[in-house]
Amino acid sequence: MKTTLGCLRKADTDFHLIEPGDRVAVGVSGGKDSLTLLVALARLREFYPKPFTVEAFTLDMGHVDGGVGMDFTAVAALCR
C-alpha cells in the first residue's frame, strides 16, 4: 500500500489532480483494481495536506437475460 500511496501523491504533485475540497469519484466494479484505488484514496485522505472526500459509485446494468444483476453488498460494507 505504501507504494500505491506514493504513486498517488506523485501523480497529484506532477499533475495537480486533487484540489482542497474536491470530491473524488471512483467507479467501483468490485474488482481488485477499482477496490485498490478506492482504499488507497481513502487512506491518502487521512493524512494528505489537501482535504478531499472520496465517493464510490457502482453501476448495475442488470443481467443480460433479465436475471438478477450484480451484488455490491461487499463493496457497500467496505465503504461503511
Side-chain angles (χ1 to χ4, degrees), residues 17 19-20 25 29-30 33-34 36 42 44 47 51-52 55 70-71 74:
L17 302 174
E19 295 298 329
S29 65
D33 53 348
S34 62
T36 299
L44 181 68
F47 65 86
F52 68 96
E55 300 281 338
M70 297 180 70
D71 179 14

Side-chain angles (χ1 to χ4, degrees), residues 33-80:
D33 53 348
S34 62
L35 289 174
T36 299
L37 178 60
L38 178 65
V39 170
L41 283 168
R43 289 200 182 160
L44 181 68
R45 164 188 78 191
E46 294 172 2
F47 65 86
Y48 209 51
K50 299 178 192 178
F52 68 96
T53 58
V54 179
E55 300 281 338
F57 289 87
T58 59
L59 178 63
D60 185 354
M61 299 295 287
H63 193 272
V64 291
D65 295 329
V68 178
M70 297 180 70
D71 179 14
F72 292 108
T73 306
V75 174
L78 174 67
C79 291
R80 281 192 285 286

